[in-house]
Short mmCIF file of all heavy atoms in Angstrom, two decimals:
data_model
loop_
_atom_site.label_atom_id
_atom_site.label_comp_id
_atom_site.label_asym_id
_atom_site.label_seq_id
_atom_site.Cartn_x
_atom_site.Cartn_y
_atom_site.Cartn_z
N TYR A 19 0.40 3.91 -7.65
CA TYR A 19 1.83 4.08 -7.89
C TYR A 19 2.14 5.40 -8.59
O TYR A 19 3.09 6.10 -8.24
CB TYR A 19 2.39 2.91 -8.69
CG TYR A 19 2.63 1.69 -7.86
CD1 TYR A 19 1.93 0.50 -8.09
CD2 TYR A 19 3.55 1.70 -6.81
CE1 TYR A 19 2.15 -0.63 -7.30
CE2 TYR A 19 3.78 0.58 -6.04
CZ TYR A 19 3.07 -0.57 -6.29
OH TYR A 19 3.28 -1.69 -5.52
N TRP A 56 5.39 -1.39 -13.78
CA TRP A 56 5.41 -2.16 -12.54
C TRP A 56 4.00 -2.55 -12.12
O TRP A 56 3.75 -3.67 -11.65
CB TRP A 56 6.09 -1.38 -11.43
CG TRP A 56 5.92 -2.03 -10.09
CD1 TRP A 56 5.00 -1.71 -9.13
CD2 TRP A 56 6.63 -3.17 -9.59
NE1 TRP A 56 5.10 -2.55 -8.04
CE2 TRP A 56 6.10 -3.46 -8.30
CE3 TRP A 56 7.67 -3.95 -10.08
CZ2 TRP A 56 6.58 -4.51 -7.52
CZ3 TRP A 56 8.14 -5.00 -9.30
CH2 TRP A 56 7.59 -5.27 -8.04
N ILE A 80 12.76 -12.68 -0.22
CA ILE A 80 13.46 -11.57 0.43
C ILE A 80 14.97 -11.73 0.27
O ILE A 80 15.68 -10.76 -0.06
CB ILE A 80 13.08 -11.49 1.93
CG1 ILE A 80 11.63 -11.04 2.08
CG2 ILE A 80 14.02 -10.53 2.68
CD1 ILE A 80 11.10 -11.13 3.50
N PHE A 83 16.06 -10.78 -3.22
CA PHE A 83 16.06 -9.33 -3.41
C PHE A 83 17.27 -8.68 -2.74
O PHE A 83 17.87 -7.75 -3.30
CB PHE A 83 14.77 -8.74 -2.85
CG PHE A 83 13.58 -8.85 -3.77
CD1 PHE A 83 13.62 -9.67 -4.88
CD2 PHE A 83 12.42 -8.15 -3.51
CE1 PHE A 83 12.54 -9.79 -5.72
CE2 PHE A 83 11.32 -8.25 -4.35
CZ PHE A 83 11.38 -9.07 -5.46
N ASN A 166 1.63 -9.81 0.84
CA ASN A 166 2.91 -10.50 0.78
C ASN A 166 3.97 -9.68 0.05
O ASN A 166 5.12 -9.59 0.49
CB ASN A 166 2.76 -11.86 0.11
CG ASN A 166 2.03 -12.86 0.96
OD1 ASN A 166 2.02 -12.77 2.19
ND2 ASN A 166 1.38 -13.83 0.33
N SER A 167 3.59 -9.08 -1.07
CA SER A 167 4.56 -8.31 -1.84
C SER A 167 5.01 -7.07 -1.06
O SER A 167 6.19 -6.70 -1.12
CB SER A 167 3.98 -7.91 -3.20
OG SER A 167 2.86 -7.06 -3.05
N SER A 168 4.09 -6.44 -0.33
CA SER A 168 4.48 -5.28 0.47
C SER A 168 5.46 -5.69 1.56
O SER A 168 6.47 -5.00 1.79
CB SER A 168 3.25 -4.60 1.07
OG SER A 168 2.62 -5.42 2.04
N PHE A 169 5.18 -6.81 2.22
CA PHE A 169 6.07 -7.28 3.28
C PHE A 169 7.43 -7.65 2.71
O PHE A 169 8.48 -7.27 3.27
CB PHE A 169 5.45 -8.49 3.99
CG PHE A 169 6.35 -9.10 5.03
CD1 PHE A 169 6.55 -8.47 6.25
CD2 PHE A 169 7.01 -10.29 4.78
CE1 PHE A 169 7.39 -9.03 7.21
CE2 PHE A 169 7.85 -10.86 5.74
CZ PHE A 169 8.03 -10.22 6.95
N ILE A 170 7.45 -8.37 1.60
CA ILE A 170 8.71 -8.79 0.99
C ILE A 170 9.56 -7.59 0.60
O ILE A 170 10.76 -7.52 0.92
CB ILE A 170 8.43 -9.68 -0.25
CG1 ILE A 170 7.91 -11.05 0.19
CG2 ILE A 170 9.69 -9.83 -1.11
CD1 ILE A 170 7.34 -11.88 -0.94
N LEU A 171 8.96 -6.63 -0.07
CA LEU A 171 9.71 -5.47 -0.57
C LEU A 171 10.20 -4.58 0.57
O LEU A 171 11.36 -4.16 0.58
CB LEU A 171 8.84 -4.67 -1.52
CG LEU A 171 8.57 -5.33 -2.88
CD1 LEU A 171 7.39 -4.67 -3.59
CD2 LEU A 171 9.82 -5.26 -3.76
N ILE A 172 9.32 -4.31 1.54
CA ILE A 172 9.72 -3.44 2.65
C ILE A 172 10.77 -4.12 3.53
O ILE A 172 11.77 -3.52 3.92
CB ILE A 172 8.49 -3.03 3.48
CG1 ILE A 172 7.59 -2.10 2.64
CG2 ILE A 172 8.91 -2.32 4.77
CD1 ILE A 172 6.26 -1.79 3.29
N PHE A 173 10.56 -5.40 3.83
CA PHE A 173 11.51 -6.13 4.69
C PHE A 173 12.86 -6.25 4.00
O PHE A 173 13.91 -6.08 4.64
CB PHE A 173 10.96 -7.52 5.03
CG PHE A 173 11.58 -8.12 6.25
CD1 PHE A 173 11.09 -7.83 7.51
CD2 PHE A 173 12.66 -8.98 6.13
CE1 PHE A 173 11.67 -8.39 8.65
CE2 PHE A 173 13.24 -9.55 7.26
CZ PHE A 173 12.76 -9.25 8.52
N ALA A 174 12.86 -6.53 2.70
CA ALA A 174 14.12 -6.60 1.94
C ALA A 174 14.83 -5.25 1.97
O ALA A 174 16.06 -5.19 2.12
CB ALA A 174 13.85 -7.03 0.51
N GLY A 175 14.06 -4.18 1.84
CA GLY A 175 14.65 -2.84 1.89
C GLY A 175 15.29 -2.55 3.24
O GLY A 175 16.37 -1.96 3.32
N ILE A 176 14.63 -2.98 4.32
CA ILE A 176 15.17 -2.77 5.67
C ILE A 176 16.46 -3.57 5.86
O ILE A 176 17.44 -3.07 6.43
CB ILE A 176 14.13 -3.16 6.74
CG1 ILE A 176 12.91 -2.23 6.66
CG2 ILE A 176 14.73 -3.08 8.14
CD1 ILE A 176 11.75 -2.68 7.53
N LYS A 204 17.28 -0.49 -2.96
CA LYS A 204 16.48 -0.69 -1.74
C LYS A 204 15.45 0.41 -1.57
O LYS A 204 14.37 0.19 -1.03
CB LYS A 204 17.37 -0.79 -0.51
CG LYS A 204 17.85 0.54 0.02
CD LYS A 204 18.51 0.41 1.38
CE LYS A 204 18.83 1.75 1.98
NZ LYS A 204 19.52 2.70 1.10
N ILE A 206 13.88 1.82 -3.99
CA ILE A 206 12.80 1.43 -4.89
C ILE A 206 11.98 0.31 -4.27
O ILE A 206 10.74 0.31 -4.34
CB ILE A 206 13.38 0.99 -6.26
CG1 ILE A 206 14.10 2.17 -6.93
CG2 ILE A 206 12.27 0.44 -7.17
CD1 ILE A 206 14.80 1.82 -8.22
N TYR A 207 12.66 -0.66 -3.63
CA TYR A 207 11.94 -1.73 -2.93
C TYR A 207 10.92 -1.14 -1.95
O TYR A 207 9.75 -1.53 -1.94
CB TYR A 207 12.91 -2.59 -2.12
CG TYR A 207 13.81 -3.52 -2.89
CD1 TYR A 207 14.91 -4.11 -2.26
CD2 TYR A 207 13.60 -3.82 -4.23
CE1 TYR A 207 15.76 -4.97 -2.94
CE2 TYR A 207 14.44 -4.67 -4.92
CZ TYR A 207 15.52 -5.24 -4.27
OH TYR A 207 16.35 -6.11 -4.94
N ILE A 208 11.39 -0.24 -1.11
CA ILE A 208 10.54 0.31 -0.05
C ILE A 208 9.38 1.12 -0.62
O ILE A 208 8.24 1.03 -0.14
CB ILE A 208 11.38 1.15 0.93
CG1 ILE A 208 12.37 0.23 1.68
CG2 ILE A 208 10.50 1.89 1.92
CD1 ILE A 208 13.39 0.97 2.52
N LEU A 210 7.97 0.76 -3.64
CA LEU A 210 7.01 -0.18 -4.25
C LEU A 210 6.26 -0.96 -3.18
O LEU A 210 5.06 -1.23 -3.32
CB LEU A 210 7.74 -1.14 -5.18
CG LEU A 210 8.41 -0.52 -6.41
CD1 LEU A 210 9.16 -1.58 -7.20
CD2 LEU A 210 7.40 0.19 -7.29
N GLY A 211 6.95 -1.31 -2.11
CA GLY A 211 6.28 -2.02 -1.00
C GLY A 211 5.22 -1.18 -0.33
O GLY A 211 4.14 -1.68 0.00
N ALA A 212 5.52 0.09 -0.12
CA ALA A 212 4.53 1.00 0.48
C ALA A 212 3.31 1.14 -0.42
O ALA A 212 2.16 1.12 0.05
CB ALA A 212 5.17 2.36 0.73
N SER A 214 2.24 -1.10 -2.58
CA SER A 214 1.52 -2.38 -2.53
C SER A 214 0.66 -2.48 -1.28
O SER A 214 -0.46 -3.01 -1.31
CB SER A 214 2.52 -3.53 -2.58
OG SER A 214 1.88 -4.77 -2.72
#
Side-chain angles (χ1 to χ4, degrees):
Y19 281 117
W56 170 262
I80 290 171
F83 279 12
N166 288 334
S167 64
S168 67
F169 176 74
I170 288 168
L171 289 163
I172 292 172
F173 201 85
I176 296 171
K204 80 169 187 312
I206 297 175
Y207 288 166
I208 294 171
L210 296 177
S214 188

